[in-house]
Amino acid sequence: MNTATLLCSCTDRSGIVAALTHFVAEYGGNVIDLDQHTDSETNQFFMRLVWDLRNSALSRDDLPGAMGIVAKKFHNMHWSISFSTPLPRVAVLVSKTQHCLADLLLRHQMGEMPGEMALVVGNHGDLADLARHFGVPFAHIPATRDNKEQAELEQRALLRERGIDLVVLARYMQVLGPEFVNEWTGRIINIHHSFLPAFVGAKPYHQAKARGVKLIGATAHYVTAELDQGPIITQGVTTVSHRDEVEDLIRKGRDIERQVLAQAVRLHLERRVIVAGNRTLVFQ
Amino acid sequence: MNTATLLCSCTDRSGIVAALTHFVAEYGGNVIDLDQHTDSETNQFFMRLVWDLRNSALSRDDLPGAMGIVAKKFHNMHWSISFSTPLPRVAVLVSKTQHCLADLLLRHQMGEMPGEMALVVGNHGDLADLARHFGVPFAHIPATRDNKEQAELEQRALLRERGIDLVVLARYMQVLGPEFVNEWTGRIINIHHSFLPAFVGAKPYHQAKARGVKLIGATAHYVTAELDQGPIITQGVTTVSHRDEVEDLIRKGRDIERQVLAQAVRLHLERRVIVAGNRTLVFQ
Amino acid sequence: MNTATLLCSCTDRSGIVAALTHFVAEYGGNVIDLDQHTDSETNQFFMRLVWDLRNSALSRDDLPGAMGIVAKKFHNMHWSISFSTPLPRVAVLVSKTQHCLADLLLRHQMGEMPGEMALVVGNHGDLADLARHFGVPFAHIPATRDNKEQAELEQRALLRERGIDLVVLARYMQVLGPEFVNEWTGRIINIHHSFLPAFVGAKPYHQAKARGVKLIGATAHYVTAELDQGPIITQGVTTVSHRDEVEDLIRKGRDIERQVLAQAVRLHLERRVIVAGNRTLVFQ
Amino acid sequence: MNTATLLCSCTDRSGIVAALTHFVAEYGGNVIDLDQHTDSETNQFFMRLVWDLRNSALSRDDLPGAMGIVAKKFHNMHWSISFSTPLPRVAVLVSKTQHCLADLLLRHQMGEMPGEMALVVGNHGDLADLARHFGVPFAHIPATRDNKEQAELEQRALLRERGIDLVVLARYMQVLGPEFVNEWTGRIINIHHSFLPAFVGAKPYHQAKARGVKLIGATAHYVTAELDQGPIITQGVTTVSHRDEVEDLIRKGRDIERQVLAQAVRLHLERRVIVAGNRTLVFQ
């Protein structure tokens, strides 16, 4: 189905839903999914609206202009419209660890991901074969602490050149610099191998073992300038016990990591996520 | 907050959301929660709409009439409007088993349940003390296989007299007759101590033990004429192992039962459930 | 069944299980449950051993002495033997919040707890009625920041007088002083209304809301001198979303808290927990 | 570590654990894992015992003979000893659906599976490439309803020839004949795309949608002559709602299926499963 999706937020007042759904209906659109939320503390209104464009009297090119006129009626409205086609283009940044990449590629091949796997970029070459098996171009851009600045320039140029919409860090072991993060604000998803905010930083499974926790988890979040502090999209946990050695925690962690990351990527690609400050609204 | 909640369904077409939210806004209501779903197979539209009545130009008495006029514009629209006050009145039917009743009463006392615990009816007198501790009237109407017909007439008269809106079967060990079920269609919630449709019927935990399952569950559903086949509202499971004797399964089952039942009752009281044929839509 | 339970740990070597099970068999005991674990990092051996005393040639009084002789063969063995009767005696310390106490009392009444609910001590009087309903003595010992030292002396005297074996802090809102903690090392269980180590400290649900997490949890742990840092027994989580206000988080938290606390108390009463440093082994 | 694992069961009596652990210690073995269970209903004793062979005075060849002598002391003892090396050899039977196979191969590559992926057999050729990517031999033996008998003879010959220890049906869409099942009793694991015993048979996700359930699941079990009725090893569930179309249920089901199957295969390969009648004991 050929659809448009509106994500928007503004100061709450009476009549917002009526005005926006009227706007859709007026031009022949048929609402197929609507979800909204009003944050009682901040008095902010948020909405996700999906409609069928089959009988739309407005062309795709004209839709944003028309929406802009409607949006002016509301205080402080932020909005974006996207279309079901073409599919958003995804690049995956990887190092040597394969489980998250393999999972994303497999899910994509099975049709679970409403996006195009357009590119895998590795700072090591280890995962080139895996990408090739699934028919996805692989670019090897060596990145170390020493050449990071130069490498990121190359990465960013490549992402632009390939028309990428979303960058997924699938156990990418480098911290991205501020220019990279700024250019891609709200469009980089990272998987943190921990149940944030516990065990921030390195070796979370060793930390978990040392603390004797009975659950471990993983967190998918948007990347912001502050390391591991960006808006959380999804989280998952699994039970552990004293029998689990650190390697068992790592194995169990891999399972959670790839599920949580895949879920976050799909939610983003389905345009179900609105970022509000350092939190997200996820319309499921 | 003083609110109205509309639950409605009709054949899908363009403009339904716009018309209904316009109706709300026109009379000074402010939408605070809206959730909708279109069933692609049956082309049915479903919506839950909650709005603030603070500035409403329509009195409560006039609202249904005005809504009736709007509803006529849509094909086959079923709708109901309810208000945040007075709270719906709940009666709990019990036998001798206390865990579900105790849980409901405790949650009510803690303010988790947007309803009034108005009555407990026991076919045995065992739980009178428990009801009394929580300040809820208890009626003892002995019901056995032999006097069931007469007992149900008494029960139904009492429920009507006390202005009950919802009947909860909290491990009530009698099967309700068709007249009772018909009078209360869509307003009786039962907890089935099994993960339906597995282990329908008696002694599910013995069945589960015999089959060697690794998970057991519970199902809350509306009661219909066909035993244990009514629309499912919520389900839960918990893990079990070969170490669990039947009594352990029963203990673990109790935990799931009371959680699942309490969740179903709250969802109903918050008017989040629409029944469609033998299924439910639960707007969470 | 009349049983003995041995919990022990020592430096690992060959033949420990054989020696201890031989000891049991030699005197006519029949092993009905055995679980062991060797920590590969520290080379420590841990075991839980339960045996039927029906045909035991040793009296209860003689058993510890005989075991002491066996234990000497092993390096650094720590051990304790307990018996299935009499049941361990439990005291619950509370303030004003009732859900954890109510849950424990209810479970006890349903026969889920292999202990005797011997005493409830409140620093406020609010929960006296609840304890009374379940037939458990309630002692009101007002404790505030100012009189804490004196109040703890009273509490400890009362616990001793009543022959208490386990102290449960069921949302008790005072921090226990070091003398109290030292006297009851390994025998005080607290429920922390958070998924430790995240959100240590006050108002975890407000912290969780501010951070926008998608899961919240609770942690039951033994109380040690360092606040909220004691060995973890059990943990649980539940999903949350942007729709959950702080009061919803608190409500969902209550559900997790009482389940997690009850599970930890039962595990302790069944003598399934061995504390090793700041971690626990839980033989389930 | 070079280890032996004993799985055994017999009629319960006093002294079994002592005798068996003494047997291990006597010949220089060191117990590193022991788990046992006594079924109170049937009075059957079950044990899993793992020991370090480093200092073993008995050769691998002599161990079974020595164990046989010990076993005779106990009534009706069934036992098997296996060694940590060589790794058990696994064959995976597939049709066209790839997610379970891909998951097993990926986990094997990551070192999660203590077995050797020795062979993939497809009744279609679709998954040959996938097997090749992971370096596992692929055999294409076309099997349809018409040639099933002949095809199974070929499959069985090939499995024997390759020294296979475990057969995994990874969404293999043919029902195995009784000769195949008999030859491989207790050594064929199937994944059933449903939470058994609910929705036995074809199209479980369509059945689940029609019934309006709120949870779906998957079950891994040993294959027996009676279809879908064999001993259950593991089960998993995930939540669903009215928003999930059949294709969403299938997608969510795939996630559960591959997790549950992989877990069952790992448990079997780690020799943690004892089959007792139509149930399993899983020593985790």
Side-chain angles (χ1 to χ4, degrees):
Chain A
M1 200 191 292
N2 190 11
T3 61
T5 300
L6 171 73
L7 295 178
C8 72
S9 67
C10 64
T11 305
D12 192 34
R13 51 156 257 205
S14 172
I16 309 174
V17 180
L20 293 173
T21 54
H22 178 74
F23 163 72
V24 166
E26 189 181 15
Y27 291 108
N30 185 26
V31 171
I32 54 174
D33 208 356
L34 185 160
D35 205 346
Q36 59 77 245
H37 177 69
T38 306
D39 191 284
S40 58
E41 255 177 89
T42 59
N43 199 36
Q44 279 288 300
F45 171 89
F46 299 90
M47 188 167 70
R48 178 179 183 264
L49 185 58
V50 184
W51 65 98
D52 186 349
L53 292 171
R54 201 175 337 181
N55 303 314
S56 180
L58 272 180
S59 76
R60 282 178 174 219
D61 290 348
D62 294 337
L63 204 44
M67 175 64 203
I69 293 166
V70 177
K72 281 190 184 136
K73 296 182 196 163
F74 300 94
H75 186 62
N76 210 13
M77 180 171 277
H78 296 273
W79 60 274
S80 70
I81 288 181
S82 53
F83 299 99
S84 52
T85 58
L87 291 172
R89 293 170 64 80
V90 179
V92 186
L93 266 61
V94 298
S95 292
K96 297 174 168 183
T97 307
Q98 74 172 323
H99 62 280
C100 285
L101 177 62
D103 195 65
L104 290 170
L105 293 173
L106 183 62
R107 287 176 189 273
H108 178 254
Q109 194 180 67
M110 293 190 294
E112 290 187 9
M113 289 292 173
E116 193 176 335
M117 285 290 164
L119 181 64
V120 175
V121 183
N123 64 333
H124 297 275
D126 304 52
L127 302 183
D129 264 12
L130 180 65
R132 191 173 305 127
H133 173 72
F134 285 95
V136 178
F138 182 89
H140 182 197
I141 301 179
T144 62
R145 288 196 183 180
D146 298 337
N147 76 339
K148 206 174 89 168
E149 214 163 315
Q150 179 55 33
E152 289 198 357
L153 287 174
E154 278 184 57
Q155 290 167 340
R156 291 160 63 199
L158 184 62
L159 295 174
R160 268 182 243 119
E161 182 198 311
R162 301 290 169 94
I164 298 303
D165 297 294
L166 175 69
V167 175
V168 178
L169 308 186
R171 301 299 315 276
Y172 182 65
M173 302 306 281
Q174 299 279 325
V175 177
L176 297 181
E179 287 82 9
F180 198 137
V181 172
N182 281 340
E183 182 181 347
W184 288 88
T185 297
R187 295 182 299 154
I188 312 176
I189 296 176
N190 183 44
I191 180 70
H192 192 276
H193 44 323
S194 172
F195 181 68
L196 293 174
F199 305 132
V200 174
K203 299 215 165 189
Y205 298 122
H206 292 77
Q207 292 184 54
K209 179 76 183 170
R211 184 65 184 86
V213 296
K214 305 303 184 189
L215 291 171
I216 59 166
T219 301
H221 63 93
Y222 288 110
V223 173
T224 56
E226 209 179 335
L227 189 63
D228 298 341
Q229 297 294 316
I232 293 171
I233 308 169
T234 50
Q235 300 191 292
V237 289
T238 193
T239 56
V240 298
S241 81
H242 62 270
R243 296 187 195 284
D244 290 301
E245 305 292 338
V246 167
E247 55 261 47
D248 296 309
L249 301 185
I250 291 172
R251 170 176 58 76
K252 290 184 168 186
R254 276 198 298 257
D255 268 28
I256 298 295
E257 287 166 21
R258 54 186 184 154
Q259 288 169 46
V260 166
L261 178 60
Q263 195 187 351
V265 170
R266 193 174 56 246
L267 290 168
H268 179 96
L269 293 175
E270 293 177 348
R271 306 174 206 280
R272 294 184 177 278
V273 189
I274 297 181
V275 174
N278 204 40
R279 285 180 268 173
T280 62
L281 295 92
V282 180
F283 292 114
Q284 290 188 287
Chain B
M1 200 190 294
N2 190 9
T3 61
T5 300
L6 171 73
L7 295 178
C8 72
S9 67
C10 63
T11 305
D12 192 33
R13 50 156 260 202
S14 173
I16 309 173
V17 180
L20 294 172
T21 54
H22 178 74
F23 163 73
V24 167
E26 190 181 14
Y27 292 107
N30 185 24
V31 171
I32 54 174
D33 208 355
L34 184 160
D35 205 346
Q36 58 76 245
H37 177 69
T38 307
D39 191 284
S40 58
E41 255 177 89
T42 58
N43 198 37
Q44 278 288 300
F45 172 90
F46 299 90
M47 188 166 71
R48 176 179 184 264
L49 184 58
V50 184
W51 65 98
D52 186 350
L53 291 172
R54 200 175 338 181
N55 304 313
S56 180
L58 274 180
S59 76
R60 284 176 172 220
D61 290 347
D62 295 336
L63 204 44
M67 176 62 204
I69 293 166
V70 177
K72 280 189 185 140
K73 294 182 197 164
F74 299 95
H75 185 64
N76 210 15
M77 181 171 276
H78 297 272
W79 60 274
S80 70
I81 288 182
S82 52
F83 299 99
S84 53
T85 58
L87 291 174
R89 292 170 64 80
V90 180
V92 187
L93 266 61
V94 299
S95 292
K96 295 174 169 184
T97 308
Q98 74 173 321
H99 62 280
C100 284
L101 176 62
D103 194 66
L104 289 170
L105 293 173
L106 183 63
R107 288 176 190 273
H108 178 254
Q109 193 179 69
M110 293 190 295
E112 290 188 9
M113 290 291 173
E116 192 176 335
M117 285 291 164
L119 181 64
V120 175
V121 184
N123 62 333
H124 296 275
D126 304 52
L127 302 184
D129 263 12
L130 181 64
R132 190 173 304 125
H133 173 72
F134 285 96
V136 178
F138 181 90
H140 181 194
I141 302 180
T144 62
R145 289 197 181 179
D146 298 337
N147 76 340
K148 208 174 86 168
E149 215 162 314
Q150 179 55 34
E152 289 199 358
L153 287 174
E154 278 185 57
Q155 290 167 340
R156 290 160 63 199
L158 184 63
L159 296 173
R160 268 182 244 119
E161 181 197 312
R162 301 289 170 93
I164 297 304
D165 297 293
L166 175 70
V167 174
V168 179
L169 307 186
R171 302 300 314 277
Y172 181 65
M173 302 307 280
Q174 299 278 324
V175 177
L176 297 181
E179 286 82 9
F180 198 137
V181 172
N182 281 340
E183 182 180 347
W184 288 88
T185 297
R187 296 181 299 153
I188 312 174
I189 296 177
N190 184 43
I191 181 70
H192 191 276
H193 44 324
S194 172
F195 181 67
L196 293 174
F199 306 132
V200 174
K203 300 215 164 188
Y205 297 121
H206 291 77
Q207 292 184 52
K209 180 75 182 170
R211 184 65 184 90
V213 297
K214 304 304 183 187
L215 291 170
I216 59 167
T219 302
H221 63 94
Y222 288 111
V223 173
T224 56
E226 208 179 337
L227 189 65
D228 296 344
Q229 297 294 318
I232 293 170
I233 308 169
T234 49
Q235 300 190 292
V237 288
T238 193
T239 55
V240 298
S241 82
H242 63 270
R243 295 187 195 283
D244 290 301
E245 304 292 340
V246 168
E247 55 261 48
D248 297 309
L249 301 186
I250 291 171
R251 170 176 57 76
K252 290 185 168 186
R254 277 199 296 258
D255 268 28
I256 298 295
E257 288 165 23
R258 56 186 183 154
Q259 288 169 45
V260 166
L261 179 59
Q263 196 187 350
V265 171
R266 192 174 58 245
L267 290 168
H268 179 95
L269 293 175
E270 293 177 349
R271 305 175 207 280
R272 294 184 177 278
V273 189
I274 298 180
V275 175
N278 204 40
R279 284 179 268 174
T280 61
L281 294 92
V282 181
F283 291 114
Q284 289 188 287
Chain C
M1 200 190 293
N2 190 8
T3 63
T5 299
L6 170 73
L7 295 179
C8 72
S9 67
C10 64
T11 305
D12 192 33
R13 51 156 258 204
S14 174
I16 309 173
V17 180
L20 294 172
T21 54
H22 177 74
F23 163 73
V24 167
E26 190 181 14
Y27 292 107
N30 185 25
V31 171
I32 54 174
D33 208 355
L34 184 160
D35 205 346
Q36 58 77 243
H37 176 70
T38 307
D39 191 284
S40 58
E41 255 177 274
T42 59
N43 198 37
Q44 279 288 299
F45 172 90
F46 300 90
M47 189 168 68
R48 176 180 185 264
L49 184 59
V50 185
W51 66 98
D52 186 348
L53 292 172
R54 203 176 337 181
N55 304 315
S56 182
L58 273 180
S59 75
R60 282 178 176 219
D61 289 347
D62 295 335
L63 204 44
M67 175 64 205
I69 293 165
V70 178
K72 279 189 187 135
K73 297 182 198 162
F74 300 95
H75 185 64
N76 211 15
M77 182 171 277
H78 297 273
W79 60 274
S80 69
I81 288 182
S82 52
F83 299 100
S84 52
T85 57
L87 291 174
R89 292 170 64 79
V90 180
V92 187
L93 265 62
V94 298
S95 293
K96 296 175 169 182
T97 307
Q98 74 171 322
H99 62 279
C100 284
L101 176 62
D103 194 66
L104 290 170
L105 293 172
L106 183 62
R107 287 177 189 273
H108 178 254
Q109 194 180 66
M110 293 189 295
E112 291 186 9
M113 289 292 172
E116 192 176 336
M117 285 290 164
L119 182 62
V120 176
V121 183
N123 63 334
H124 297 274
D126 305 52
L127 302 184
D129 264 13
L130 181 64
R132 191 173 305 126
H133 173 73
F134 285 96
V136 178
F138 181 90
H140 181 195
I141 302 180
T144 61
R145 290 197 181 179
D146 298 337
N147 76 339
K148 207 175 86 169
E149 217 163 311
Q150 179 56 33
E152 290 198 355
L153 287 173
E154 279 184 57
Q155 290 167 342
R156 291 161 61 198
L158 184 63
L159 296 174
R160 269 181 244 119
E161 181 198 311
R162 301 288 170 93
I164 298 302
D165 298 293
L166 175 69
V167 175
V168 179
L169 307 186
R171 304 299 314 277
Y172 182 65
M173 302 308 280
Q174 299 279 324
V175 177
L176 297 181
E179 286 82 8
F180 198 136
V181 172
N182 281 340
E183 182 180 348
W184 288 88
T185 297
R187 296 182 298 154
I188 313 175
I189 297 177
N190 183 43
I191 180 70
H192 191 276
H193 43 325
S194 171
F195 180 68
L196 292 174
F199 305 132
V200 174
K203 300 216 165 189
Y205 298 121
H206 291 77
Q207 291 184 54
K209 179 76 183 171
R211 184 64 183 88
V213 296
K214 304 303 183 188
L215 291 169
I216 59 166
T219 301
H221 63 94
Y222 288 110
V223 173
T224 56
E226 206 177 337
L227 188 64
D228 297 343
Q229 297 293 318
I232 293 170
I233 308 169
T234 49
Q235 301 191 290
V237 288
T238 193
T239 54
V240 298
S241 82
H242 63 271
R243 296 186 195 284
D244 290 301
E245 304 292 338
V246 167
E247 56 260 48
D248 297 309
L249 300 185
I250 290 171
R251 170 176 57 77
K252 290 184 167 186
R254 275 198 299 256
D255 267 29
I256 298 294
E257 287 166 21
R258 56 185 183 154
Q259 289 170 45
V260 166
L261 178 60
Q263 196 188 350
V265 171
R266 193 174 57 244
L267 290 167
H268 179 96
L269 293 175
E270 294 177 349
R271 307 176 207 277
R272 295 183 177 278
V273 189
I274 298 180
V275 174
N278 205 39
R279 284 180 270 174
T280 62
L281 294 91
V282 181
F283 292 114
Q284 288 188 287
Chain D
M1 201 190 294
N2 189 10
T3 62
T5 300
L6 171 73
L7 295 179
C8 72
S9 67
C10 63
T11 305
D12 192 33
R13 52 156 258 205
S14 173
I16 309 174
V17 180
L20 294 173
T21 54
H22 177 73
F23 163 73
V24 166
E26 191 181 14
Y27 292 108
N30 186 24
V31 172
I32 55 175
D33 208 355
L34 185 160
D35 205 345
Q36 59 74 246
H37 177 71
T38 306
D39 190 284
S40 58
E41 256 177 89
T42 60
N43 198 36
Q44 279 288 299
F45 172 89
F46 300 90
M47 188 167 69
R48 177 180 184 264
L49 185 57
V50 185
W51 65 97
D52 186 349
L53 292 172
R54 203 176 339 182
N55 304 315
S56 181
L58 272 180
S59 76
R60 281 180 175 214
D61 290 347
D62 294 335
L63 204 45
M67 175 64 205
I69 293 165
V70 178
K72 280 190 186 137
K73 297 182 197 162
F74 300 94
H75 184 63
N76 209 13
M77 181 170 277
H78 296 273
W79 60 274
S80 69
I81 289 182
S82 53
F83 299 99
S84 54
T85 59
L87 291 174
R89 293 169 64 78
V90 180
V92 186
L93 266 61
V94 299
S95 293
K96 296 175 168 182
T97 307
Q98 73 172 322
H99 63 279
C100 285
L101 176 62
D103 194 65
L104 289 170
L105 293 173
L106 183 62
R107 287 176 190 274
H108 178 253
Q109 194 180 66
M110 293 189 296
E112 290 187 10
M113 291 291 172
E116 191 176 335
M117 285 289 163
L119 181 64
V120 175
V121 183
N123 64 332
H124 296 274
D126 304 51
L127 303 183
D129 264 13
L130 181 65
R132 190 172 305 127
H133 173 72
F134 285 96
V136 178
F138 182 91
H140 181 195
I141 301 180
T144 62
R145 290 197 180 177
D146 298 338
N147 77 339
K148 207 175 86 169
E149 217 162 312
Q150 180 55 34
E152 289 198 358
L153 287 175
E154 278 183 57
Q155 290 166 340
R156 291 161 61 198
L158 184 62
L159 296 174
R160 269 181 244 120
E161 182 198 310
R162 301 290 170 91
I164 297 303
D165 298 293
L166 175 68
V167 175
V168 179
L169 307 187
R171 300 301 313 280
Y172 181 65
M173 302 308 280
Q174 299 278 326
V175 177
L176 296 181
E179 287 82 7
F180 198 137
V181 171
N182 282 340
E183 183 180 346
W184 289 87
T185 297
R187 296 182 299 153
I188 312 175
I189 296 177
N190 183 44
I191 179 71
H192 191 277
H193 43 322
S194 174
F195 180 69
L196 292 174
F199 306 132
V200 174
K203 299 215 165 191
Y205 297 122
H206 291 78
Q207 291 184 53
K209 180 74 183 172
R211 184 65 183 87
V213 297
K214 305 303 185 190
L215 291 171
I216 58 167
T219 301
H221 63 95
Y222 288 111
V223 173
T224 56
E226 208 178 337
L227 188 64
D228 296 345
Q229 297 294 318
I232 293 170
I233 307 168
T234 49
Q235 300 191 291
V237 287
T238 192
T239 54
V240 298
S241 81
H242 63 270
R243 295 185 195 284
D244 289 302
E245 305 292 339
V246 167
E247 56 260 47
D248 297 308
L249 300 185
I250 291 171
R251 170 176 58 77
K252 290 184 167 185
R254 275 198 299 257
D255 267 28
I256 298 295
E257 288 166 22
R258 57 187 183 153
Q259 288 169 46
V260 166
L261 179 60
Q263 196 188 348
V265 171
R266 193 175 58 245
L267 290 167
H268 179 95
L269 293 174
E270 293 176 350
R271 308 175 206 278
R272 295 183 177 278
V273 188
I274 297 181
V275 174
N278 203 40
R279 284 179 270 174
T280 62
L281 294 91
V282 181
F283 292 114
Q284 289 188 286

